Amino acid sequence: MSEVRVKRVAIGVTGGIAAYKSIEVLRGLQQAGCEVRVAMTRHACEFVRPLTFRALSGAYVIVDDYSAENPDPIAHITFSQTIDLFVIAPATANTLAKLANGVADDFITSTYLACTAPILIAPAMNSVMWSHPATQRNVQKLRNDGVRIIEPDDGEMACGTIGPGRLSHPERIVSVALEILGETRQRLSTSESKPVQDLIDERILITAGPTREPIDPVRFISNRSSGKMGFALARAAMQRGAQVRIVAGITTVVPPSGAEVIETTSAEDMRAAVIREIDDATIFISAAAVADYRAKHSSPKKLKKSEAEMILELERTPDILKQVGLNKKTGQLMVGFAAETDDVKSNAQKKLSQKNLDMIVANDVSREGSGFESDNNAVTILVRDNPLSIDIPLSSKPEVANRILDEVVKLRRRTTSAMSAKHSKL
Ligand code: PMT
């Protein structure tokens, strides 16, 4: 039986006000059983003293690997070649720019270039800096290089501005780090073993899986949806405190325990179930692959084959998401999916506006190893009134589900603060 080796994680701390939060990241990883070492930039030392991290990690904290005090002359190799994960948190705009362009002028950027382990970066900066095209270009470059990025949270910043840019919650960083390490969220050994309960007040209705449109008692029109994406969203939402109800088509995987499941077959069945349940939902996520067409006249008896070709007359099925989106109640959030094979973003953008959605998750379903039936997915998230799309590279559906829910939480916070600002003016 192979012995399970302790996971080794290096944390690179760069010079932002959120540097102190890396202490919580360090503690969370240690509590999950990881061995953690820390490196800092000189600027980071302005915010937190290396001694703090040394006391907590029990190891020398590298700021300048040429320093006489450094007991390890080839620290950047030791660091980069012997770890299982390199976490850079917080990452400033300057650090992102250097990493994206291969600049290696300090220990952290050199270690980044020499690192063969997965890399997880949690940026933190002023909102305007975060939204700047240059920063977004650097983030996209890093994503394209295979780096996992944890998007900053929305909220009030130390500099007084409100918006995206605040370092993601340390528990979230730890949770994603453990998932990358192949651990489960539940391996956290402390009371924080529950993921952040940021959906505790939400009642989420999720559709999952394919619908089946009968041609005759034997034949039907359907698709390859398994239900995995919808069920991953349901599972993740429940882990984060939401009450979840699922309207499922004929799925090939088992729904998560703890969710109420309403089983349906055709698009009309699914529509009727959604219309029954939607008034009680605060969020609707439409992950189901609802057939767009059905036989205009399905036969009560098996159609006999003959030498002649069989012509099927098809008609449109009801567009559930559009019907719900056009009638959404104040405060309800509508999240759709877009299964595309070309012009993914522009097709998704059209659905976002035509169906009056708050968010749409676009996936290229022609991509090998992603989308229908796969355990993985790669998605682009478009949010109404936000020109910046969020690209999530190929990841497990549970990870994609959490990233989607991260954006839902941010959207909820934005809409809540906008509504309270409006009420305070009345
Ligand atoms: O189930 P898996 O195997 O895990 O696969 C996941 C998935 C590929 C099915 C999922 O990621 C996905 O893309 N789901 C949406 C598939 C789909 O029907 O996309 P669409 O672009 O055809 O529809 C757009 C949106 O309208 C979707 O939210 C869909 O649920 C909804 N719709 C579509 C048709 C219809 N008649 N009523 C609807 O509500």
Side-chain angles (χ1 to χ4, degrees):
M1 164 103 152
S2 65
E3 176 216 86
V4 176
R5 181 172 61 76
V6 169
K7 302 288 187 187
R8 293 194 192 100
V9 180
I11 300 179
V13 182
T14 72
I17 185 73
Y20 75 94
K21 294 186 179 178
S22 300
I23 294 169
E24 289 180 64
V25 175
L26 165 64
R27 300 290 297 134
L29 288 167
Q30 287 177 327
Q31 286 159 4
C34 300
E35 185 185 299
V36 186
R37 290 201 58 188
V38 177
M40 302 173 74
T41 62
R42 289 202 174 288
H43 281 168
C45 300
E46 309 290 321
F47 294 93
V48 181
R49 293 183 59 206
L51 181 61
T52 306
F53 288 113
R54 181 167 187 167
L56 290 171
S57 65
Y60 179 78
V61 173
I62 301 170
V63 178
D64 168 2
D65 53 339
Y66 297 110
S67 148
E69 282 173 24
N70 179 6
D72 176 358
I74 54 163
H76 62 293
I77 299 303
T78 317
F79 231 68
S80 54
Q81 311 290 328
T82 59
I83 54 174
D84 300 300
L85 175 67
F86 188 19
V87 178
I88 303 176
T92 59
N94 178 49
T95 297
L96 290 179
K98 291 199 282 185
L99 298 175
N101 294 286
V103 174
D105 62 358
D106 64 14
F107 181 72
I108 286 179
T109 51
S110 306
T111 299
Y112 168 80
L113 282 189
C115 194
T116 51
I119 295 171
L120 173 65
I121 294 181
M125 63 198 74
N126 164 280
S127 310
V128 177
M129 292 171 76
W130 172 249
S131 307
H132 194 286
T135 303
Q136 290 303 311
R137 272 198 307 276
N138 290 326
V139 169
Q140 194 52 50
K141 272 186 179 178
L142 288 166
R143 283 206 171 101
N144 294 342
D145 290 346
V147 170
R148 299 287 284 282
I149 303 280
I150 297 192
E151 298 263 326
D153 282 343
D154 273 22
E156 178 143 19
M157 316 284 294
C159 55
T161 55
I162 293 182
R166 198 168 63 182
L167 181 70
S168 181
H169 198 286
E171 280 180 2
R172 178 95 186 96
I173 297 170
V174 171
S175 181
V176 173
L178 291 177
E179 285 183 9
I180 294 172
L181 287 168
E183 303 291 338
T184 59
R185 294 164 165 274
Q186 282 63 32
R187 289 289 298 276
L188 280 175
S189 57
T190 66
S191 58
E192 285 93 48
S193 60
K194 269 189 179 177
V196 179
Q197 299 298 285
D198 50 8
L199 289 169
I200 203 129
D201 300 324
E202 302 291 353
R203 294 184 305 282
I204 305 181
L205 181 65
I206 299 176
T207 62
T211 64
R212 272 187 187 176
E213 309 307 324
I215 296 170
D216 63 21
V218 172
R219 304 175 181 95
F220 55 80
I221 299 170
S222 189
N223 58 66
R224 293 184 296 113
S225 172
S226 61
K228 289 176 183 174
M229 189 72 251
F231 291 168
L233 282 158
R235 188 174 292 109
M238 286 190 289
Q239 286 174 343
R240 294 166 73 158
Q243 288 175 53
V244 174
R245 197 165 286 175
I246 303 172
V247 176
I250 312 283
T251 58
T252 54
V253 290
V254 179
S257 54
E260 187 188 333
V261 181
I262 300 161
E263 292 178 354
T264 61
T265 305
S266 68
E268 180 48 37
D269 296 344
M270 189 171 274
R271 186 197 66 82
V274 167
I275 296 306
R276 264 197 319 273
E277 304 297 335
I278 193 65
D279 284 349
D280 183 45
T282 56
I283 299 174
F284 177 53
I285 305 180
S286 181
V290 187
D292 290 321
Y293 289 91
R294 64 188 174 199
K296 192 165 186 177
H297 308 292
S298 62
S299 163
K301 291 199 179 83
K302 182 184 174 185
L303 299 172
K304 288 297 170 207
K305 54 178 173 293
S306 68
E307 295 314 312
E309 61 185 10
M310 182 188 290
I311 307 271
L312 268 184
E313 194 181 1
L314 303 181
E315 65 179 3
R316 285 301 304 271
T317 60
D319 188 331
I320 304 167
L321 182 58
K322 188 170 187 177
Q323 181 180 348
V324 167
L326 295 178
N327 296 289
K328 73 179 169 184
K329 293 190 312 189
T330 308
Q332 269 185 332
L333 294 181
M334 295 290 145
V335 180
F337 270 74
E340 306 299 339
T341 55
D342 55 323
D343 302 329
V344 175
K345 268 191 193 174
S346 57
N347 286 328
Q349 186 61 55
K350 280 185 205 129
K351 289 174 180 172
L352 181 70
S353 39
Q354 285 165 359
K355 302 187 185 214
N356 190 34
L357 305 180
D358 298 290
M359 183 185 297
I360 196 157
V361 182
N363 45 186
D364 176 352
V365 292
S366 66
R367 178 172 171 173
E368 201 56 41
S370 176
F372 283 109
E373 295 177 306
S374 169
D375 289 330
N376 304 304
N377 209 353
V379 302
T380 295
I381 300 175
L382 304 177
V383 181
R384 67 170 160 71
D385 309 331
N386 183 344
L388 293 179
S389 61
I390 298 118
D391 291 322
I392 299 175
L394 192 64
S395 313
S396 71
K397 280 181 177 171
E399 173 56 21
V400 171
N402 270 299
R403 295 296 309 281
I404 293 167
L405 294 175
D406 288 348
E407 296 309 317
V408 168
V409 168
K410 287 179 189 174
L411 184 57
R412 173 64 80 204
R413 285 178 184 156
R414 268 206 296 282
T415 46
T416 307
S417 52
M419 284 171 73
S420 50
K422 196 169 79 175
H423 288 314
S424 62
K425 284 185 188 130
L426 293 179

